[in-house]
Amino acid sequence: MSLPKPMMRGLLAKRTRIVLPMAFVSCGGLALFYKYVVGERRKRTYAEFYKNYDATKDFNAMREAGVFDSVQPSGK
Amino acid sequence: MLATRAFSLIGKRAISTSVCVRGGHGVAKVEDYTLPAYHDSPDIPLPEVRFVQNLSAEQKSLKEKEKGSWAALSNDEKLALYRISFKQSYAEMNYRSPEWKTVLGAAFFFFGFTGLFFLWQRKYVFGPVPHTFEPEYKERELQRMLDMRMNPIEGIASKWDYENKQWKK
């Protein structure tokens, strides 16, 4: 029985040549995914919330509901 | 002193393994775990000792034959020599047995058993939950959270429609 001689050298180099680009691509891909799907979406949500936000109106609504200690509901 | 002189007449070798009468102390007994041991591991291709330490008669004769030309050995003899030196081949060592299914099954079984135990504990050991868990209290809690506009951008208050006094569709 004469088997072919197996690979004796360069085993780590061979594995690294495959695994290293995979690692970079998956890390980069994950980063891009997170940036757009999570980051940009959140930024848009915040921008749209504050576009037409009236802080005084919000404050008065909260005051009427009675959640503050410093001001009481105006009693209107 | 006289005793050691007498011993040297018998043979120097006897002294190292027998008790030296002079001091009354013996040579320490060699424990098994202090000797080099055999390990099957992917990163140890040649372990420190052979797997089979005490060769039988035919194994001894095989070892003698090994000292000659290896081409004269048959395949079975080569295998026998391999098995004298090693316990498992690399293929056997790296074999992924289906034992993990048993292990996972047993782990889940014990999770289930623990779950039953916790159910019993909840019913028979613990007292009642605090009054803050009552439905009416929870409603008042939620109303207060909406009143104070808690998390108005992405959280709970953002899901409530304040004009129509209902949850957003």
Side-chain angles (χ1 to χ4, degrees), chain A residues 62-74:
Chain A
M62 282 197 260
R63 176 188 179 175
E64 299 312 319
V67 291
F68 289 126
D69 287 342
S70 48
V71 285
Q72 294 301 313
S74 59

Side-chain angles (χ1 to χ4, degrees), chain A residues 7-16:
Chain A
M7 281 272 295
M8 305 287 253
R9 293 155 183 268
L11 296 165
L12 180 63
K14 180 166 158 225
R15 185 185 153 79
T16 308

Side-chain angles (χ1 to χ4, degrees), chain B residues 105-118:
Chain B
F108 287 149
F109 173 79
F110 282 109
F111 288 161
F113 181 75
T114 311
L116 285 174
F117 172 75
F118 271 92

Side-chain angles (χ1 to χ4, degrees), chain B:
Chain B
M1 198 54 189
L2 212 58
T4 50
R5 282 251 191 89
F7 268 98
S8 67
L9 286 173
I10 303 168
K12 291 235 169 70
R13 207 175 276 182
I15 292 192
S16 58
T17 49
S18 62
V19 175
C20 195
V21 178
R22 177 175 40 157
H25 303 291
V27 177
K29 176 161 156 275
V30 179
E31 300 286 342
D32 269 340
Y33 55 79
T34 58
L35 297 168
Y38 176 82
H39 297 287
D40 264 327
S41 173
D43 51 330
I44 308 176
L46 297 172
E48 291 163 358
V49 285
R50 287 204 202 96
F51 174 53
V52 179
Q53 305 277 40
N54 312 315
L55 302 170
S56 70
E58 61 175 276
Q59 282 171 331
K60 282 202 187 107
S61 68
L62 197 56
K63 278 283 172 190
E64 287 300 318
K65 193 171 174 197
E66 194 193 13
K67 291 178 185 167
S69 163
W70 285 346
L73 294 169
S74 73
N75 281 348
D76 285 333
E77 285 170 338
K78 286 178 192 164
L79 271 176
L81 282 166
Y82 184 87
R83 290 293 171 184
I84 290 174
S85 300
F86 303 107
K87 182 173 174 220
Q88 280 184 319
S89 68
Y90 265 76
E92 285 163 5
M93 238 195 277
N94 295 335
Y95 173 61
R96 309 261 170 116
S97 75
E99 193 194 3
W100 65 272
K101 294 177 202 165
T102 313
V103 172
L104 213 61
F108 287 149
F109 173 79
F110 282 109
F111 288 161
F113 181 75
T114 311
L116 285 174
F117 172 75
F118 271 92
L119 277 176
W120 175 86
Q121 201 180 40
R122 177 76 186 77
K123 191 164 194 301
Y124 290 106
V125 176
F126 294 139
V129 288
H131 70 100
T132 54
F133 281 81
E134 288 160 19
E136 298 81 23
Y137 193 95
K138 280 298 181 201
E139 279 177 13
R140 275 183 281 142
E141 209 175 69
L142 179 57
Q143 180 59 57
R144 195 176 151 80
M145 288 191 329
L146 294 173
D147 285 341
M148 66 166 95
R149 309 298 192 268
M150 207 163 91
N151 290 333
I153 304 170
E154 285 195 320
I156 185 135
S158 71
K159 307 275 193 277
W160 179 256
D161 189 355
Y162 284 93
E163 269 89 61
N164 303 328
K165 302 264 198 295
Q166 61 187 353
W167 293 109
K168 281 186 188 159
K169 297 286 183 292

